[in-house]
């Protein structure tokens, strides 16, 4: 969203997003696509940042999810299809981003988030992996630049996410590239990557996931913007291979 940048004191942004993704295949332990999982997911997310001071920004997020999961379990006796659906609050929480240093176009910040979910039954297929409390800490670096006459920015976020209720802790590496070809237009290319730090509990395996998000933001005026884009898991291990799209409305205050 804002990379390593903090919001000015007393200023902020709210982003209201909806997304739709479908995973008709999954990546197996070797990273090959197999037809053993089908996940249809729709989400509505509210994300907000507010400048507590010029160097400290507060973060809040809530997510409503409608997730329908079908899993095919195979054995020597045949195949069994198991399905489940969850509708309700998904992962959301609070966080802080603190700027550590700024020099010219460069900015370095540290961010921490604590998140929990409305899902409570880890043994249900559609809730598994979404019932625990998560803590996230990351170091972020951002830089503003010009590509010919086009202003832009790049951000790198490296962190560690502690998870509970089964899934293993994760190393995180996220990358964002933003370019403004025109005054009101912003092109965004983002990569979100996670790798298990160890095996999880309750039978959770080590995983690896690489998502690619492309989008365009159009500024209606100084306060309002609209966004649309695509989401896709392009590689991974023991994760669904989902593809989808999202839309968002930005409000700056």
């Amino acid at each position: 969203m804002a990379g390593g940048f903090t919001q000015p004191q007393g200023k902020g942004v709210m982003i209201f997003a909806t997304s739709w993704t479908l995973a008709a295949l999954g990546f197996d332990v070797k990273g090959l696509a197999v037809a053993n999982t089908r996940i249809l997911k729709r989400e509505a997310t509210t994300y907000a940042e507010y400048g507590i001071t010029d160097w400290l920004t507060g973060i809040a997020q809530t997510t409503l999810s409608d997730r329908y999961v079908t899993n095919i379990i195979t054995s020597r006796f045949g195949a069994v299809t198991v399905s489940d659906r969850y509708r309700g609050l998904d992962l959301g929480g609070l966080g802080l981003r603190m700027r550590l240093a700024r020099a010219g176009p460069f900015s370095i910040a540290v961010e921490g988030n604590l998140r929990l979910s409305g899902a409570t039954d880890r043994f249900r297929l559609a809730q598994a992996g979404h019932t625990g409390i998560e803590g996230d800490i990351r170091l972020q670096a951002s830089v503003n630049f010009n590509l010919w006459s086009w202003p832009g920015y790049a951000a790198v976020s490296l962190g560690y996410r502690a998870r509970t209720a089964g899934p293993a802790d994760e190393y995180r590496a996220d990358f964002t590239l933003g370019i403004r070809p025109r005054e009101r237009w912003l092109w965004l290319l983002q990569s979100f990557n996670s790798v298990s730090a160890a095996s999880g509990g309750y039978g959770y395996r080590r995983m690896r996931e690489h998502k690619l998000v492309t989008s365009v933001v159009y500024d209606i005026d100084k306060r309002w913007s609209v966004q649309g884009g695509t989401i896709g898991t392009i590689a991974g291990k023991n994760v669904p291979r989902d593809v989808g799209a999202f839309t968002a409305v930005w409000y700056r205050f």
Side-chain angles (χ1 to χ4, degrees):
M1 303 292 184
F5 302 110
T6 51
Q7 298 290 335
Q9 184 174 1
K11 302 291 185 180
V13 61
M14 296 188 70
I15 301 176
F16 308 94
T18 58
S19 65
W20 178 94
T21 59
L22 172 65
L25 298 172
F27 291 104
D28 66 9
V29 67
K30 297 181 180 180
L32 302 176
V34 293
N36 62 351
T37 302
R38 181 182 176 88
I39 303 174
L40 175 62
K41 183 167 62 176
R42 291 175 289 186
E43 291 185 337
T45 301
T46 300
Y47 176 89
E49 294 186 358
Y50 178 76
I52 302 170
T53 69
D54 283 341
W55 51 269
L56 184 66
T57 291
I59 302 168
Q61 178 178 323
T62 62
T63 302
L64 287 172
S65 182
D66 181 5
R67 188 167 48 249
Y68 182 75
V69 182
T70 300
N71 197 10
I72 301 174
I73 303 172
T74 59
S75 69
R76 62 178 180 175
F77 302 106
V80 178
T81 300
V82 180
S83 298
D84 189 26
R85 188 171 194 173
Y86 173 73
R87 290 176 173 175
L89 286 171
D90 211 329
L91 287 169
L94 300 172
L96 290 171
R97 181 186 301 126
M98 182 174 65
R99 187 176 67 234
L100 301 178
R102 183 172 61 188
F106 297 95
S107 178
I108 298 177
V110 62
E111 178 179 318
N113 291 276
L114 184 64
R115 306 193 304 171
L116 53 86
S117 174
T120 58
D121 188 350
R122 67 172 183 264
F123 299 107
R124 281 188 53 183
L125 185 61
Q127 296 187 30
H130 295 260
T131 61
I133 298 174
E134 297 185 357
D136 189 289
I137 185 73
R138 58 184 62 201
L139 183 67
Q140 301 174 323
S142 301
V143 59
N144 292 317
F145 61 86
N146 286 304
L147 182 63
W148 298 292
S149 60
W150 298 350
Y153 77 95
V156 178
S157 176
L158 304 176
Y160 186 87
R161 178 171 294 172
R163 307 185 69 188
T164 62
D169 295 355
E170 299 171 356
Y171 297 108
R172 310 283 303 188
D174 302 334
F175 307 91
T176 298
L177 176 65
I179 300 291
R180 282 196 177 273
R182 294 188 177 182
E183 183 178 357
R184 294 194 176 193
W185 293 91
L186 173 64
W187 296 345
L188 286 173
L189 178 64
Q190 296 171 289
S191 173
F192 300 97
N193 308 275
S194 59
V195 178
S196 293
S199 296
Y202 308 110
Y204 283 87
R205 298 178 178 179
R206 287 178 177 265
M207 54 78 66
R208 174 172 52 84
E209 184 177 55
H210 307 284
K211 286 184 178 289
L212 187 66
V213 179
T214 61
S215 65
V216 176
V217 182
Y218 175 73
D219 297 333
I220 299 172
D221 54 31
K222 291 183 178 180
R223 289 187 178 272
W224 293 94
S225 300
V226 291
Q227 181 182 17
T230 63
I231 309 167
T233 302
I234 58 175
K237 183 175 73 172
N238 292 325
V239 293
R241 192 179 77 171
D242 54 1
V243 294
F246 71 97
T247 60
V249 176
W250 300 37
Y251 174 68
R252 301 172 184 85
F253 56 92

